[in-house]
Amino acid sequence: TSKGTYQYESGDVQLGGEIQGKPDNMQLRAMESSLLLKIHEEHCRGVELKDPEGIMLSRRTGDAYVDDKDTYASAPDTNTIQEGVENMQHHAQFWAILITL
């Protein structure tokens, strides 16, 4: 991180909110992003991906970068398109709510 770019200027209020380019911004965004992802994973089922031999398992609710997330959903209870669509809508809506808090 460049101290010439990421630094407080005279008169700046520290931790006064998100201000792009300030020195505390990266740490706060990382902390906020981690919390949002954790909450989303606790409330959404996502998918289970198994390797061909069934040895390894990955549970995922999506791929994310900061506040942008591609959500994954499946239909584990009924294996129907309707359940998959409902789960996808729930996951997407829940993520939209989280990032607007």
Side-chain angles (χ1 to χ4, degrees):
T1 305
S2 166
K3 290 187 178 188
T5 303
Y6 292 97
Q7 65 183 358
Y8 284 109
E9 302 293 331
S10 178
D12 282 350
V13 176
Q14 294 185 13
L15 298 175
E18 181 183 339
I19 302 168
Q20 187 174 0
K22 296 302 178 190
D24 57 3
N25 184 264
M26 289 182 286
Q27 295 87 344
L28 293 175
R29 288 297 292 172
M31 186 172 56
E32 177 185 21
S33 180
S34 293
L35 181 61
L36 292 175
L37 293 169
K38 182 176 177 11
I39 293 169
H40 192 255
E41 288 175 5
E42 289 175 357
H43 293 274
C44 298
R45 292 175 78 169
V47 296
E48 289 186 358
L49 306 170
K50 295 179 184 177
D51 72 37
E53 295 180 358
I55 298 169
M56 297 179 69
L57 174 69
S58 174
R59 290 185 179 94
R60 307 172 64 96
T61 59
D63 291 323
Y65 179 75
V66 186
D67 63 352
D68 183 20
K69 185 170 189 178
D70 293 329
T71 265
Y72 300 150
S74 61
D77 297 328
T78 63
N79 202 30
T80 62
I81 292 173
Q82 182 64 31
E83 181 190 5
V85 168
E86 288 170 2
N87 286 339
M88 181 63 76
Q89 288 172 335
H90 168 72
H91 294 193
Q93 183 63 48
F94 193 78
W95 183 254
I97 291 167
L98 285 175
I99 62 172
T100 58
L101 294 176

